[in-house]
């Protein structure tokens, strides 16, 4: 064996190389596999969720409409009952007055059928005044009283309605009632004027001096 054969050559193969130490990749950063497509959302599941949400909204709207319709029915029923109660109250309040008016009408018809042809005008006037008094009592039962102002008292625009102006005989009569054409009416419990009395009012007019010839 020669000295040339005893020399050992150093190994130069790849398998004998010392492997390099590498750090592990952090979680979630693994490289994607070659040729793998990115994950896509489940379209069918999303459609099902949207359909369920729309159905829930439709049901809520339908329930709201039913509640609104129910409230409208309740309001209509309460309004109808209120109208009936008001009508009943009006009948109760007006019943005494209506009864008196019925009685007065029957009296007028009975008297009209029995008035003798020879009845004097004064007797007819007295008969009509008696019926006017009956109507006055009926009005008082309803809380209304007739008011007749006196001739010569001052004109009051809140209680009197002027229909004509007549010349005053003297300056002191200016703005005073000259004549009463119709009575007024007021509430008995408050004194509030319901219908003003119809009157004529005096107005003083200064005489004009005639020019001397």
């Amino acid at each position: 064996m020669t000295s040339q054969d005893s020399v050992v050559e150093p190994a130069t193969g790849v398998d004998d190389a010392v492997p390099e130490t590498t750090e592990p990749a952090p979680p979630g950063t693994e490289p994607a596999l070659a040729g793998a497509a990115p994950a896509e959302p489940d379209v069918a599941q999303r459609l099902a969720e949207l359909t369920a949400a729309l159905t829930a909204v439709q049901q809520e709207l339908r329930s709201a409409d039913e509640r609104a319709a129910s409230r409208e029915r309740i309001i209509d029923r309460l309004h109808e009952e209120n109208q009936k109660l008001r009508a009943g109250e009006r009948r109760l309040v007006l019943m005494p007055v209506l009864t008196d008016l019925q009685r007065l009408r029957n009296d007028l018809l009975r008297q009209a059928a029995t008035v003798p042809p020879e009845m004097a005008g004064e007797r007819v006037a007295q008969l009509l005044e008696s019926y006017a008094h009956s109507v006055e009592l009926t009005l008082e039962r309803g809380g209304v009283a007739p008011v007749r102002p006196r001739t010569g008292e001052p004109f009051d625009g809140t209680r009197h309605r002027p229909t004509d102006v007549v010349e005053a005989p003297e300056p002191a009569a200016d703005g005073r009632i000259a004549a009463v054409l119709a009575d007024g009416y007021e509430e008995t419990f408050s004194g509030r004027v319901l219908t003003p009395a119809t009157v004529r009012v005096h107005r003083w007019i200064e005489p004009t001096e005639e020019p001397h010839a």
Side-chain angles (χ1 to χ4, degrees):
M1 182 173 169
T2 62
S3 59
Q4 186 178 0
D5 293 337
S6 62
V7 177
V8 178
E9 297 291 336
T12 59
V14 177
D15 293 337
D16 297 332
V18 178
E20 296 180 358
T21 304
T22 58
E23 295 292 332
T29 59
E30 292 82 358
L33 297 177
E40 294 183 356
D42 189 349
V43 177
Q45 183 178 356
R46 293 296 301 276
L47 288 176
E49 294 175 354
L50 290 175
T51 302
L54 291 176
T55 303
V57 171
Q58 290 175 350
Q59 290 177 352
E60 183 63 26
L61 292 176
R62 190 179 300 110
S63 299
D65 291 340
E66 291 176 355
R67 290 193 296 269
S70 178
R71 285 194 297 268
E72 290 294 333
R73 289 192 296 269
I74 293 174
I75 292 173
D76 292 341
R77 185 172 65 255
L78 291 176
H79 178 71
E80 182 179 356
E81 293 176 355
N82 188 30
Q83 293 297 106
K84 290 180 179 179
L85 289 175
R86 285 188 174 184
E89 291 176 354
R90 283 196 297 268
R91 282 194 297 270
L92 290 176
V93 171
L94 293 176
M95 188 55 64
V97 177
L98 296 176
T99 301
D100 290 341
L101 290 176
Q102 292 169 10
R103 186 180 300 111
L104 177 61
R105 180 179 180 275
N106 291 335
D107 292 343
L108 287 171
L109 291 175
R110 183 170 58 255
Q111 290 293 338
T114 58
V115 170
E118 64 275 8
M119 179 177 286
E122 183 180 357
R123 180 73 181 90
V124 172
Q126 293 176 354
L127 183 63
L128 293 177
E129 287 180 358
S130 68
Y131 287 122
H133 181 67
S134 298
V135 174
E136 182 177 337
L137 295 177
T138 300
L139 291 172
E140 289 179 352
R141 291 185 61 181
V144 178
V147 178
R148 186 174 186 83
R150 294 188 304 273
T151 302
E153 71 178 50
F155 172 78
D156 184 354
T158 62
R159 304 182 66 84
H160 309 141
R161 183 173 64 88
T163 60
D164 195 8
V165 175
V166 297
E167 186 177 352
E170 57 182 0
D174 183 60
R176 295 183 176 273
I177 295 176
V180 179
L181 305 181
D183 293 348
Y185 297 90
E186 66 181 11
E187 289 180 339
T188 56
F189 57 88
S190 67
R192 184 173 67 91
V193 175
L194 301 176
T195 304
T198 305
V199 299
R200 290 192 178 101
V201 183
H202 278 307
R203 175 178 294 176
W204 171 251
I205 301 175
E206 291 287 345
T208 58
E209 296 182 0
E210 295 181 0
H212 297 287

